[in-house]
């Protein structure tokens, strides 16, 4: 909606290269997320979307290039510093502590992010967002269903209202009603000032929420533009005449 | 007529979530069949039910007319179901040749313990030839003696294919062979697979979310979504099916 | 009347069992604490407890310190400092390593730490010098609350600390942030960091805390021992693992209960078993020996029969794909000319060595060289099970002892020719190994290691005591004597002749091992080690190959044990085959090279020749051509070998192929690259690919973005 003006962007990646061991995942990715902006990343499996999210939350240090959070160079810093700078990352899949209860999973993060006093109201909000988690607050997270684990992972970052919220494969494994609910919450916390970087496979959802959309392919940005035009760009790539289809 | 592989009414749920619901699929001998669907549609679960990694809650898997219920993974492999892995599974610190050789040894069953003791356990010329033939077919002969760590991902996938084919499978299950490969590598893999299949004449069940590969490669296609079959039939018809197209345009799945 | 007396007996047994149960509980609590907060099966826990106990004892007795400063130094300064050092230098980097790798590291530490301590403060355990406790007159003042059984002050202190410790630690985990964080770091350091928590500090705190607890437990329980030696503490740890297993390894209160239950159960059994034995005399040898084995039977039983305990910690770190896998070992392919050159060099070295030994060596050196050869045979059993099959077996000592005892019994009772008896012993060991492997193989990894450890201690505590195994009382006085073999005109009483025999056996076993490695079994084991799912997908059933590996390994160990017993003309179980000794074997082989025949032979040489040649300064004297020019630090204490090899085994996590093998491969591949740069061959491909920065086929992270 509004391009970054004088204030430094919440997230800025400059020509980032990254690798998992010998496997190179990103080749010179430059990307920024402005204050209050919502950016969506789309791309095929293996295109490097998850790597972008991991670099942005400090899990994977860039081999070259730089990552700035709120104008501060954080390249090579540990992930806990990113978290303390206001980056909350809900990784893809079942990223919960499997031997912890639902409540402990949330508490671990809330104790620092919301303070000791804030834990209770944080839990209440989380269970308000996802009543199903409230019903199972003392259940071991590893025994939850995939969708419930996904909710737990998202509940943590949604409640904290961080400066930058990163969600990987946001809607994967969630029932459509829950997806709608998640997007409603995202919309509202975005109104409260949280910037969003989300990885999504549902084009329409991403378009409705995001200001800008990034298409990725083979570790590079393929296309960056306003969300409304993303559908056409995508269709052009999906059904391009030079695809090797018979 | 009954197919080579008949999976009937397969259902599986995890902790209350229905991952598969009443899925029926059959693969005929020498046929190339595709199974597609978006992430989380239950492809992997179904695959694991076929292989015996998971036991389905309901339904049965028949291979060559025999009920495979309760048959462990390794026995299904010996019965003629070969497979490759989405997340590549190779043997560390082992050469390319040895990957194929051990499969050949298991197939011909000549690996008695006493033979090892008296030095008869080493590769025999006939076995070496069979392995080299396969390596040649896959274009891997130049790297036959390389340590597996020296190979690229695309070559690694071919080694997996070769290893599976050394067991003389009648059905080869390919689990997302395009994952991690770029378009060129995927096309090369498809070409090689087609050539090998033409020569050896086994059936293929290709589990994939890359529509292009499926369209290019298979004759018959099944579409899974949310654990249920939403379409099946000849590949071109299935991919033209408005319902399938809708389900695929709703989500972004194909290789961009 | 009878009922009342039974009730009283029972109550007395419970009271009697409480002190030892408390000791088990204390160690079990510490073990669970470490496991919960670090994810490590810390078999070095006993070593840590030993260091604090011995340091306290030493400070009080040798340095004349009073109780409080000695306690502060040993428990609250040195113990946490050791924990911090371990965390910083080793375990921090091993967070994502496999549980087995961490276990081997802990085993290496268990060997190295006591030796480091003893060398650092010049502590020497003196037999029969009972340690003093921290409680004044702890061992001599008694209280008898029920009028049935008196407790000493020490025992009451132990109970108080165990109870308070369990409650406080449980509260720490339940109610505090740091408790929550410590558990989180074990499960996924990356997830913890994403919650804004500094994982490094948390795990450092966890190690300091659990190490201090180890120290506290050590100081408290030290007065129970007659002599303060490290193996006794290791034994206690194994017992404590049984107690902890009752508590599912993660629950502190249940570990406390588990310890007490073990103590009570043993005491109750002791009270009532003699009565049963009176009625059923055939039970007598069993009841006499079974008590010390109860913990090991419990541990073995829990591991085998309670699958839930194995699944417990197998919850994967969801962020495991983030950290790259450890680098693959250097290339093992080289130019054929280089291989020929190395072989020629090795062969000429061996010929010269043989010539020197057979013409120059005196009785002592002949003995040591023969011992090296015989131990190499034993170590080849570790090559098969650990190197080829990738399983950590801690009961190779028991298998070897079976070989030795079989020879002893057959020669002693039936005058069977010893060589024949040795082969029979190997077959008996193979049968035992094969049978044992059937229940334990399903376990895999750490659980298999623990089950074999339980078996080793069971063998140690019970089986050896049976007259038809260890010879019973007669052998206490006469030893388990074994004659040297005769074969027609050949008399192996001659040391040189026996060395030739040992060499022949070594060559035969080595070639057998090489045949296995190159044959179907070896290849099957190798691919199973590489990827079990892939091996199954081509029709390999893992169990069959692994039972064979276990049986072959036990066969070789049995044969080696028989040879060792013949060489020493005595089985000499406590010195040669006790569980702690066998632990050091594993450390030696793993730290040198578990995958190759050379590795086993080098380990044999290291065990018996390293101290006299290197540590005594013999080799230096030879190089300098004058004994008086050898620096004053020689002879170095033989304990250094525990330090060196123990710390080398710590590298297992990074170099599972062994340190020596790693450096050998590295230098050979460098040499290869330098010599044959102009003539590239297969081995160079990886190097080229790495230079081009291309992805390899192997990295784990390749498909991590895809549906799993």
């Amino acid at each position: 909606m509004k391009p970054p003006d004088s204030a430094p962007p919440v997230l800025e990646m400059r020509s980032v290269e990254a690798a998992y061991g010998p496997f190179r995942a990103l080749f010179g990715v430059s990307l920024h997320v402005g204050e209050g902006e919502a950016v969506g990343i789309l791309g095929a499996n293996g295109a490097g979307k998850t790597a972008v999210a991991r670099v942005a939350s400090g899990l994977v240090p860039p081999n070259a290039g730089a990552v700035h959070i709120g104008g501060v160079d954080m390249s090579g810093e540990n992930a806990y510093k990113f978290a303390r700078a206001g980056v909350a990352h809900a990784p893809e899949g079942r990223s919960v502590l499997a031997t912890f209860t639902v409540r402990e999973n949330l508490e671990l993060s809330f104790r620092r992010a919301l303070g000791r006093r804030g834990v209770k109201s944080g839990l209440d909000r989380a269970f308000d967002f996802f009543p199903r988690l409230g019903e199972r607050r003392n259940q071991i997270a590893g025994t939850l269903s995939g969708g419930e684990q996904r909710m737990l992972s998202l509940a943590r970052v949604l409640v904290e209202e961080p400066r930058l919220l990163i969600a990987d494969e946001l809607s994967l494994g969630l029932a459509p009603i829950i997806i709608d609910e998640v997007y409603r919450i995202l919309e509202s916390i975005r109104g409260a000032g949280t910037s969003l970087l989300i990885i999504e496979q549902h084009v329409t959802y991403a378009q409705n929420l995001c200001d800008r959309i990034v298409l990725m392919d083979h570790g590079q940005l393929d296309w960056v533009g306003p969300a409304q035009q993303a559908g056409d760009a995508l269709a052009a790539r999906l059904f391009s005449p030079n695809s090797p289809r018979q | 007529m009954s197919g080579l592989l008949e999976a009937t009414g397969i259902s599986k749920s995890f902790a209350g979530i229905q991952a598969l619901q009443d899925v029926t699929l059959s693969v005929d001998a020498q046929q190339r069949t595709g199974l597609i669907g978006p992430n989380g549609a239950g492809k992997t679960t179904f695959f694991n039910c076929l292989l015996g990694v998971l036991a389905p809650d309901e339904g049965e898997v028949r291979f060559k007319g025999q009920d495979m219920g309760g048959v462990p993974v390794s026995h299904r492999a010996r019965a003629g179901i070969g497979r490759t892995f989405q997340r590549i599974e190779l043997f560390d610190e082992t050469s390319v040749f040895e990957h194929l050789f051990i499969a050949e040894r298991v197939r011909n069953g000549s690996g008695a313990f006493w033979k090892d003791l008296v030095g008869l356990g080493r590769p025999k010329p006939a076995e070496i030839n069979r392995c080299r033939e396969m390596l040649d077919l896959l274009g891997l002969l130049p790297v036959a003696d390389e340590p597996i760590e020296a190979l690229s991902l695309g070559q690694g996938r071919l080694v997996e294919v070769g290893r599976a084919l050394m067991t003389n499978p009648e059905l080869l299950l390919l689990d997302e062979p395009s994952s991690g490969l770029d378009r060129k590598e995927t096309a090369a893999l498809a070409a090689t697979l087609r050539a090998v299949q033409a020569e050896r004449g086994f059936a293929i069940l290709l589990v994939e979310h890359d529509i292009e590969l499926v369209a290019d490669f298979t004759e018959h296609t099944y579409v899974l979504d949310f654990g249920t079959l939403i379409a099946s039939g000849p590949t071109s018809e299935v991919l033209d099916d408005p319902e399938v197209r809708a389900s695929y345009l709703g989500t972004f799945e194909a290789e961009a | 009347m009878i009922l009342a007396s039974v009730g009283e007996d029972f109550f007395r047994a419970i009271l009697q069992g409480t002190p030892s149960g408390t000791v088990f509980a204390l160690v079990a609590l510490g073990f669970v604490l470490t496991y919960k907060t670090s994810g490590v099966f810390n078999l070095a826990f006993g070593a840590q407890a030993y260091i604090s106990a011995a340091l306290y004892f030493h400070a009080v007795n040798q340095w004349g310190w009073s109780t409080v400063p000695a306690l502060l130094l040993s428990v609250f300064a040195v113990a946490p400092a050791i924990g911090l050092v371990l965390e910083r230098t080793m375990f921090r980097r091993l967070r994502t390593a496999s549980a087995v790798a961490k276990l081997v590291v802990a085993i290496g530490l268990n060997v190295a730490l006591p030796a480091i301590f003893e060398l650092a403060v010049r502590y020497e355990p003196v037999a029969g010098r009972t340690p003093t406790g921290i409680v004044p007159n702890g061992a001599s003042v008694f209280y008898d609350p029920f009028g049935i059984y008196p407790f000493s002050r020490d025992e009451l202190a132990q109970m108080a600390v165990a109870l308070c410790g369990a409650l406080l630690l449980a509260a720490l985990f339940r109610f505090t942030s740091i408790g929550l964080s410590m558990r989180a770091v074990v499960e996924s350091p990356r997830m913890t960091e994403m919650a804004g928590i500094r994982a490094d500090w948390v795990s450092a705190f966890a190690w300091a805390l659990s190490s201090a607890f180890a120290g506290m437990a050590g100081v408290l329980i030290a007065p129970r021992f007659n002599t303060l030696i490290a193996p006794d503490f290791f034994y206690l740890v194994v017992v404590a693992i049984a107690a902890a297993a009752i508590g599912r390894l993660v629950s502190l209160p249940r570990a406390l209960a588990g310890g007490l239950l073990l103590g009570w159960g043993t005491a109750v059994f002791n009270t009532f078993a003699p009565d049963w034995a009176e009625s059923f005399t055939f039970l007598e040898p069993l009841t006499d020996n079974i008590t010390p084995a109860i913990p090991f039977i419990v541990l073995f039983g829990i591991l085998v029969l309670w699958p839930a305990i194995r699944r417990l910690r197998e919850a994967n770190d969801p962020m495991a794909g983030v950290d790259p896998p450890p680098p693959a070992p250097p290339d093992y392919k080289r130019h054929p000319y280089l291989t020929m050159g190395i072989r020629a060099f090795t062969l000429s070295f061996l010929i010269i060595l043989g010539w020197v030994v057979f013409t120059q060596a005196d009785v002592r050196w002949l003995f040591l060289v023969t011992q090296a050869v015989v131990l190499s045979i034993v170590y080849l059993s570790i090559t098969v099970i650990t190197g080829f099959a990738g399983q950590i077996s801690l009961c190779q000592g028991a298998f070897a002892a079976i070989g030795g005892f079989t020879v002893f019994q057959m020669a002693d009772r039936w005058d069977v020719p010893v060589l024949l008896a040795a082969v029979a012993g190997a077959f008996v060991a193979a049968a035992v190994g094969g049978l044992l492997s059937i229940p334990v193989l399903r376990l895999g990894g750490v659980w298999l290691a623990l089950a074999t450890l339980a078996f080793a201690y069971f063998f140690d505590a019970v089986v050896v005591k049976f007259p038809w195994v260890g010879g019973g009382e007669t052998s206490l006085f006469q030893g388990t004597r074994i004659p040297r073999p005769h074969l027609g005109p050949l008399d192996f009483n001659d040391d040189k002749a026996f060395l030739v025999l040992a060499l022949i056996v070594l060559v035969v076993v080595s070639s057998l091992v090489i045949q296995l490695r190159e044959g179907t079994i070896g290849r099957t084991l190798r691919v199973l080690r590489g990827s079990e799912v892939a091996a199954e997908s081509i029709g390999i059933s893992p169990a069959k190959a692994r039972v064979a590996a276990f049986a072959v390994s036990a066969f070789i160990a049995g044969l080696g044990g028989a040879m060792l017993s013949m060489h020493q003309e005595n089985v000499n179980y406590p010195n040669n085959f006790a569980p702690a000794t066998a632990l050091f074997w594993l450390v030696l082989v793993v730290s040198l090279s578990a995958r190759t025949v050379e590795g086993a032979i080098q380990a044999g040489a290291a065990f018996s020749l390293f101290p006299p040649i290197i540590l005594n300064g013999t080799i230096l004297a030879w190089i300098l051509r004058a004994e008086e020019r050898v620096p004053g630090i020689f002879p170095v204490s033989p304990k250094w070998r525990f330090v060196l090899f123990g710390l080398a085994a710590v590298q297992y996590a990074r170099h599972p192929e062994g340190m020596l093998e790693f450096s050998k491969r590295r230098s050979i591949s460098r040499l290869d690259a330098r010599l044959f740069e102009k003539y590239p061959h297969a081995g160079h491909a990886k190097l080229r690919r790495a230079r081009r920065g291309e992805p390899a086929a192997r990295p784990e992270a390749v498909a991590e973005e895809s549906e799993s």
Side-chain angles (χ1 to χ4, degrees):
Chain A
M1 238 171 268
K2 54 178 192 240
D5 42 41
S6 56
V10 177
L11 166 73
E12 184 172 16
M13 292 168 63
R14 293 182 190 159
S15 321
V16 165
E17 312 227 332
Y20 305 111
F23 181 71
R24 295 163 75 186
L26 294 182
F27 302 86
V29 168
S30 297
L31 176 78
H32 68 267
V33 179
E35 199 77 54
E37 197 184 16
V39 175
I41 306 181
L42 303 181
N45 273 335
K49 298 169 297 193
T50 295
V52 168
R54 287 177 174 175
V55 169
S57 64
L59 283 174
V60 172
N63 289 347
V67 192
H68 291 235
I69 300 293
V72 183
D73 188 356
M74 302 274 282
S75 317
E77 293 286 3
N78 191 294
Y80 81 90
K81 289 202 173 165
F82 280 74
R84 290 183 185 182
V87 178
H89 178 184
E92 63 177 329
R94 308 180 165 204
S95 44
V96 297
L97 295 169
T99 66
F100 278 45
T101 63
V102 169
R103 198 194 151 102
E104 285 170 334
N105 259 291
L106 294 170
E107 262 196 66
L108 180 73
S109 184
F110 288 174
R111 277 188 190 239
R112 187 201 54 79
L114 308 175
R116 261 194 105 76
R117 302 245 168 86
V119 171
K120 194 175 175 318
S121 64
L123 288 172
D124 289 343
R125 278 194 71 191
F127 300 149
D128 203 30
F129 288 162
F130 303 109
R132 216 182 155 80
L133 290 181
E135 291 162 19
R136 303 181 172 211
R137 67 184 74 193
N138 290 321
Q139 192 174 327
I140 301 292
T143 64
L144 296 175
S145 75
E148 287 162 347
Q149 293 190 7
R150 200 70 207 120
M151 289 181 217
L152 180 54
S153 181
L154 287 171
R156 178 176 77 83
V157 297
L158 292 175
V159 168
E160 284 175 13
E161 299 196 357
R163 204 163 157 202
L164 173 65
L165 187 156
I166 303 170
D168 196 350
E169 294 291 8
L170 181 62
S171 59
L172 184 62
L174 289 177
I177 311 172
I178 308 284
I179 301 178
D180 290 338
E181 172 70 6
V182 168
Y183 272 90
R184 196 190 54 71
I185 301 166
L186 282 174
E187 198 72 62
S188 87
I189 66 171
R190 192 186 153 202
T194 294
S195 310
L196 304 175
L197 179 64
I198 62 167
I199 293 167
E200 179 52 274
Q201 51 169 334
H202 288 272
V203 186
T204 40
Y205 279 119
Q207 274 181 317
N208 289 341
L209 180 72
C210 296
D211 305 312
R212 281 189 300 135
I213 298 262
V214 174
L215 299 186
M216 287 195 70
D217 190 26
H218 292 106
Q220 286 171 313
L221 301 193
D222 197 28
W223 182 89
V224 186
Q228 289 75 20
Q229 294 166 24
D232 297 338
L234 191 58
R237 277 161 180 74
L238 252 175
F239 303 108
S240 61
N242 59 352
S243 92
R245 187 182 275 196
Q246 284 170 330
Chain B
M1 69 167 244
S2 81
L4 179 67
L5 176 82
E6 298 271 4
T8 328
I10 303 286
S11 295
K12 178 82 190 171
S13 62
F14 300 103
I17 295 291
Q18 194 78 26
L20 288 176
Q21 197 159 14
D22 195 21
V23 177
T24 296
L25 174 149
S26 84
V27 181
D28 291 338
Q30 313 207 3
Q31 192 186 38
R32 292 189 301 265
T33 305
L35 176 64
I36 60 173
N39 275 351
K43 299 189 298 288
T44 301
T45 308
F46 184 69
F47 203 74
N48 284 334
C49 286
L50 293 184
L51 284 161
V53 179
L54 292 174
D57 298 336
E58 276 170 55
E60 62 166 13
V61 177
R62 284 182 170 274
F63 183 67
K64 292 193 279 187
Q66 279 184 323
D67 187 5
M68 290 276 125
V71 177
V73 180
S74 57
H75 287 67
R76 294 189 195 207
R78 280 186 227 168
I81 304 181
R83 75 167 293 188
T84 67
F85 295 84
Q86 177 192 11
R87 213 179 132 132
I88 198 160
E89 286 282 353
L90 295 165
F91 307 131
D92 294 305
E93 295 185 58
T94 303
S95 74
V96 172
F97 169 79
E98 209 166 320
H99 276 75
L100 273 65
F101 169 72
I102 188 70
E104 161 67 13
R105 183 50 71 76
V106 174
R107 184 197 64 79
N108 69 30
S110 68
F113 182 62
W114 65 268
K115 286 188 182 167
D116 282 0
L117 293 183
V118 295
L120 291 175
R122 293 170 187 251
K124 285 185 263 303
E127 292 172 324
I128 296 176
N129 281 340
R130 265 185 56 89
C131 292
R132 292 184 72 84
E133 268 170 36
M134 179 58 69
L135 287 170
D136 195 25
L137 208 53
L138 295 169
L140 288 172
L141 210 45
V143 293
D145 293 320
E146 295 259 5
I148 201 71
E149 290 88 353
L151 265 59
S152 71
L153 185 64
Q155 288 172 316
R157 288 224 183 273
L158 284 176
V159 173
E160 280 200 333
V161 171
R163 181 178 66 192
L165 291 181
M166 286 316 288
T167 64
N168 268 358
E170 283 170 68
L171 172 66
L172 179 63
L173 300 183
L174 298 168
D175 191 359
E176 314 239 349
S178 77
S179 87
L181 300 184
D182 65 22
R183 186 183 282 174
K184 223 172 86 187
E185 288 170 316
T186 306
L189 179 73
T192 311
L193 276 174
R194 202 193 305 271
V196 178
Q197 198 226 5
E199 164 134 359
R200 299 278 163 122
F202 46 88
I204 287 181
L205 178 60
L206 173 70
V207 174
E208 207 22 279
H209 52 237
D210 177 355
I211 301 182
E212 279 174 27
L213 181 62
V214 173
D216 183 34
F217 191 71
T218 64
E219 300 152 347
H220 208 84
T221 295
Y222 292 81
V223 186
L224 266 183
D225 201 11
F226 289 109
T228 52
L229 271 185
I230 59 169
S232 68
T235 301
S236 52
E237 285 174 29
V238 167
L239 292 182
D240 284 337
D241 183 339
E243 194 188 343
V244 174
R245 291 197 79 126
S247 101
Y248 261 83
L249 270 179
T251 63
F252 173 83
E253 266 303 316
E255 298 280 332
Chain C
M1 237 359 238
I2 295 168
L3 270 182
S5 100
V6 168
E8 195 182 313
D9 282 353
F10 187 79
F11 189 53
R12 180 180 293 120
I14 293 288
L15 293 181
Q16 240 169 4
T18 305
S20 56
T22 311
V23 169
F24 300 156
L26 260 179
V27 183
L29 281 174
F31 186 82
V32 169
L33 178 67
T34 325
Y35 183 55
K36 232 173 132 92
T37 58
S38 67
V40 176
F41 268 98
N42 190 7
L43 290 184
F45 185 85
Q48 290 177 277
Y50 163 75
I51 288 176
S52 287
L55 182 61
Y56 173 80
F57 182 45
H58 197 66
V60 171
N61 269 15
Q62 296 291 310
W63 302 337
W65 289 26
S66 57
T67 304
V68 174
L71 181 69
L72 287 178
L73 174 79
S74 60
V75 175
F76 296 100
V78 169
I82 292 173
L84 287 175
V85 168
L86 294 184
E87 194 275 335
R88 189 72 196 84
T89 58
M90 292 162 204
F91 290 107
R92 181 177 297 183
R93 278 179 288 159
L94 296 181
R95 274 188 202 137
T96 50
S98 73
V100 172
K102 289 183 200 164
L103 182 81
V104 173
V105 171
I107 291 172
L109 286 174
N110 180 58
V111 166
L113 283 179
I116 293 175
F117 162 76
E118 287 170 10
L119 288 167
V121 304
R122 297 177 190 205
Y123 173 83
E124 280 299 329
V126 178
R129 206 158 76 186
T130 307
T132 39
I134 46 169
V135 187
N137 298 321
S140 50
V141 179
F142 289 89
Y143 300 90
D144 191 349
F146 303 104
I148 303 179
Y149 182 82
F151 294 109
S152 74
R153 271 193 186 175
D154 275 338
E155 289 165 353
L156 290 174
Q158 289 159 7
M159 290 177 215
V161 170
L163 194 63
C164 296
L167 291 176
L168 284 176
L169 290 173
L172 181 80
F173 282 113
R174 177 149 299 185
F175 300 115
T176 67
S177 300
I178 184 75
L180 206 59
S181 308
M182 284 195 292
R183 281 171 52 208
V185 169
V186 176
E187 194 164 330
S188 171
R190 298 308 206 142
M191 291 280 290
T192 316
E193 282 169 355
M194 283 200 296
I197 295 160
R198 190 161 183 179
D200 289 350
W201 285 12
V202 172
S203 57
F205 175 80
W207 272 95
L209 177 74
S210 63
S211 302
F213 194 89
M216 190 74 212
V219 169
L220 276 174
I221 62 189
R224 286 182 63 85
F225 299 114
N226 284 327
T227 313
L228 208 53
I229 48 166
D232 285 349
F233 280 84
F234 182 69
Y235 167 89
L236 255 189
V237 169
V238 183
V239 176
I241 295 174
I246 296 175
R248 286 171 60 90
L249 293 170
V250 287
S251 159
L252 290 162
R254 286 199 216 171
L256 179 75
L260 286 172
L261 276 176
L262 271 186
W264 292 338
T266 312
V268 168
F269 193 85
N270 267 344
T271 308
F272 293 103
D275 299 345
W276 304 335
E278 267 173 34
S279 335
F280 308 98
T281 40
F282 67 93
L283 281 177
E284 201 171 328
L286 206 62
T287 50
D288 283 353
N289 297 308
I290 207 84
T291 346
I294 287 176
F296 310 118
I297 296 172
V298 168
L299 177 57
F300 193 87
I302 290 178
L303 289 173
V304 170
L305 300 175
W306 196 18
I309 197 166
R310 285 176 260 140
R311 279 199 294 273
L312 198 68
R313 274 283 164 179
E314 279 161 28
N316 285 329
D317 178 356
M319 302 308 292
V322 172
D323 296 297
D331 271 337
Y332 42 90
K333 299 211 51 111
R334 53 184 101 130
H335 201 279
Y337 288 164
L338 188 60
T339 311
M340 275 157 64
I342 291 170
R343 283 197 184 147
F345 176 80
T346 316
L347 195 65
S348 38
F349 174 78
L350 287 178
I351 288 172
I352 294 169
L353 190 72
W355 181 77
V356 169
V357 168
F358 276 97
T359 56
Q360 310 285 313
D362 58 15
V363 177
R364 175 169 166 264
W365 283 103
L366 261 182
F367 179 86
L368 290 172
V369 170
T370 313
Q371 191 185 34
V373 171
V374 171
L375 279 174
S376 304
I377 302 169
V378 178
Y379 294 167
L380 281 170
S381 76
I382 302 177
T383 308
V384 171
I385 195 69
T386 302
F388 296 175
Q391 307 287 340
I392 303 292
S393 159
L394 299 176
C395 60
Q396 298 302 105
F399 293 151
I402 289 174
F405 282 132
T406 310
V407 176
F408 160 66
Q409 293 287 356
M410 290 178 88
D412 193 50
R413 292 180 185 223
W414 303 302
D415 280 328
V416 177
V418 276
L419 282 181
L420 195 65
V423 176
F427 274 109
V428 174
V432 173
L435 280 179
L436 177 71
S437 72
I438 292 169
V440 301
L441 272 175
R442 282 183 300 123
L443 311 181
V446 178
W447 313 108
L448 179 108
L450 290 181
T452 52
L453 189 61
F455 175 76
Y457 271 102
F458 173 76
F459 186 83
D460 183 76
V462 181
V463 182
V464 174
K465 309 253 161 67
F466 287 129
W468 48 270
V469 176
E473 278 173 25
T474 46
S475 63
L476 278 182
F477 304 106
Q478 300 162 11
T480 37
R481 298 217 154 272
I482 291 178
R484 285 275 178 89
H486 285 264
L487 199 66
L490 298 171
D491 180 3
F492 294 104
N493 263 319
D494 178 48
D495 283 340
K496 282 182 186 168
F498 190 80
L499 175 56
V500 172
L501 175 70
L503 279 171
I504 291 171
V505 175
L506 176 63
V507 168
V508 169
V509 173
S510 300
S511 51
L512 184 105
V513 167
I514 291 173
Q515 291 301 347
L516 286 183
R517 187 179 64 195
E518 298 301 316
T520 315
I521 289 276
R523 287 168 198 262
T524 307
L525 291 173
R526 191 150 62 237
V527 302
L528 276 171
R529 208 179 63 208
S531 165
E532 194 165 325
V533 281
E536 280 182 298
S537 84
I538 52 172
I540 292 171
S541 44
K544 214 172 119 191
R546 290 198 175 134
V547 169
F550 239 92
V552 168
S553 168
F555 181 91
I556 296 172
L559 189 63
M563 291 296 291
L564 192 66
S565 310
M566 278 187 232
H567 175 230
Q568 300 182 359
E569 296 174 61
N570 195 332
V571 177
N572 210 346
Y573 175 82
N575 279 344
N576 284 335
F577 305 117
T581 314
L583 213 61
F584 182 55
W585 291 354
L586 178 83
V587 163
L588 262 181
V589 176
V590 157
S591 65
L592 290 168
S593 166
R595 304 243 173 113
T596 59
V597 169
E598 306 97 274
I601 294 169
Q602 285 152 353
F607 187 91
S608 62
L609 299 176
F610 185 71
I613 293 186
I614 310 281
L615 297 181
N616 269 350
T618 314
I619 196 93
L620 203 63
W622 182 75
I623 291 170
L624 298 173
R625 301 255 169 231
E627 285 205 14
E628 64 277 6
R629 282 167 63 191
V630 173
I633 57 161
F634 287 98
V636 179
S637 162
K639 282 176 185 166
W640 275 101
R641 65 184 167 159
F642 298 121
V643 178
L644 289 174
F645 292 109
L647 291 181
V650 161
Q651 298 297 322
Y652 178 82
R654 286 180 65 79
H655 303 296
E657 72 275 18
M659 275 316 278
L660 196 72
E661 177 72 6
F662 168 71
S663 7
K664 197 173 80 187
R665 280 190 194 179
R666 193 176 49 187
S667 45
I668 287 180
S669 74
R670 277 185 192 156
L671 187 66
D672 184 75
R674 187 171 304 164
L675 288 177
F676 300 105
E677 205 163 14
K678 287 184 192 152
Y679 312 101
H681 59 92
H684 288 141
K686 192 166 123 196
L687 206 64
R688 291 198 305 271
R689 190 170 297 285
R691 284 200 196 117
R692 289 201 303 264
E694 283 174 25
R698 203 60 192 112
E700 302 298 312
V702 166
E704 45 77 37
E705 276 196 19
S706 323
E707 174 191 28
S708 56

